[in-house]
């Protein structure tokens, strides 16, 4: 067992109280562990370099719900040695502007591909008949619609407010009807706005 502890402070969303992070770091240091506090474990797992991710995966990790962290690590081919749930009992103070980062619980996923068919942002791909999160940064921030659309409750947004979408085991999330037409219309408006802001013409007139 590594003598290293990585603590996710979830700094941009405030899902984990700072005092809880500080208390755990102090306790771990008293026990002789090397402690590193990072701002956003989701971002590191999906954007960090291989050496950093392997170092984190070799030790203990204190973050949010265990199912969410296991799925984040599995996405990079890592398996956690020990997980500490810092989020238990704490809610969601409100949506943030940091990246949303979906991940998939492969213990639940049936590879049905509904998320791939549903998502208008190109977050998912089907590779060898298995669904993969290939472009997590494309995800529309604060939108858990694909998770609500998943028949196996396999899609996890670690930064979401309620279970089971955030990786928790409780059934806190009331099933809300997904309005597909509204979601796609909103996606189209977002893309058109991005093209207009970039100065890209929406159409070309042939001469």
């Amino acid at each position: 067992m590594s003598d290293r502890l990585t603590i996710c402070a979830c700094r941009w969303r405030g899902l984990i109280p700072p005092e809880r992070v500080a208390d755990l770091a102090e306790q771990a240091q008293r026990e002789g562990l090397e402690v590193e506090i990072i701002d956003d474990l989701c971002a590191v797992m999906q954007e960090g370099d291989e050496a950093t991710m392997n170092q984190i995966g070799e030790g203990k990790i204190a973050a949010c719900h265990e199912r969410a962290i296991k799925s984040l690590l599995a996405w990079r081919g890592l398996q956690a040695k020990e997980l500490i749930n810092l989020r238990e009992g704490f809610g969601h103070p409100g949506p943030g502007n940091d990246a949303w980062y979906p991940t998939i619980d492969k213990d639940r996923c049936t590879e049905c591909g509904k998320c791939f068919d549903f998502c208008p942002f190109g977050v998912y791909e089907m590779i060898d008949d298995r669904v993969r999160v290939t472009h997590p940064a494309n995800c529309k921030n604060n939108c858990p619609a694909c998770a609500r659309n998943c028949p196996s409750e396999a899609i996890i947004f670690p930064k979401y407010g309620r279970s089971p979408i955030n990786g928790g085991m409780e059934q806190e999330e009331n099933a809300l009807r997904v309005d597909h037409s509204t979601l796609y219309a909103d996606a189209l408006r977002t893309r058109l706005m991005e093209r207009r802001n970039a100065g890209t013409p929406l159409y070309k007139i042939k001469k």
Side-chain angles (χ1 to χ4, degrees):
M1 176 69 68
S2 171
D3 58 357
R4 177 186 177 87
L5 172 66
T6 301
I7 303 175
C8 176
C10 198
R11 200 171 303 279
W12 319 126
R13 298 265 166 166
L15 295 172
I16 300 171
E19 59 273 16
R20 193 168 192 182
V21 172
D23 288 346
L24 178 62
E26 183 179 346
Q27 177 185 341
Q29 288 172 339
R30 286 199 303 266
E31 295 174 359
L33 296 178
E34 177 187 351
V35 177
E36 181 181 11
I37 300 174
I38 59 178
D39 289 335
D40 188 342
L41 181 63
C42 293
V44 172
M45 282 292 105
Q46 302 207 32
E47 298 176 357
D49 61 84
E50 185 174 355
T52 298
M53 291 185 296
N54 288 339
Q55 188 178 44
I56 291 174
E58 288 172 357
K60 299 179 180 180
I61 299 174
C64 55
H65 297 295
E66 292 185 12
R67 194 164 68 92
I69 302 308
K70 283 177 63 178
S71 297
L72 279 171
L73 290 170
W75 189 73
R76 302 312 298 256
L78 301 172
Q79 186 173 358
K81 298 295 188 300
E82 183 177 343
L83 298 175
I84 301 170
N85 186 351
L86 289 180
R87 192 171 168 187
E88 192 69 37
F90 294 93
H92 194 324
N97 294 319
D98 53 316
W100 192 223
Y101 296 126
T103 186
I104 299 175
D105 183 348
K106 286 300 180 179
D107 289 336
R108 295 190 179 191
C109 180
T110 62
E111 313 296 347
C112 69
K114 286 189 175 181
C115 53
F116 169 70
D117 293 334
F118 173 77
C119 178
F121 304 106
V123 172
Y124 306 96
E125 289 185 12
M126 293 296 294
I127 301 174
D128 297 328
D129 295 324
R130 301 194 72 189
V131 66
R132 295 285 186 271
V133 177
T134 53
H135 300 96
N138 287 0
C139 190
K140 180 185 176 186
N141 206 18
N142 300 312
C143 171
C146 62
R148 290 175 174 157
N149 199 47
C150 175
S152 303
E153 296 183 344
I155 298 175
I156 298 172
F157 289 92
K159 300 176 182 182
Y160 186 68
R162 296 183 297 277
S163 281
I165 290 176
N166 62 18
M169 302 305 293
E170 301 85 0
Q171 292 292 326
E172 300 172 5
E173 167 76 8
N174 294 323
L176 300 178
R177 183 180 180 85
V178 177
D179 188 340
H180 295 73
S181 62
T182 299
L183 180 65
Y184 283 107
D186 191 41
L188 178 59
R189 282 194 298 272
T190 299
R191 289 176 177 172
L192 290 175
M193 182 66 71
E194 288 173 351
R195 292 187 62 170
R196 186 173 69 180
N197 291 340
T200 305
L202 300 181
Y203 59 88
K204 294 181 179 179
I205 300 176
K206 293 184 178 180
K207 297 182 178 180

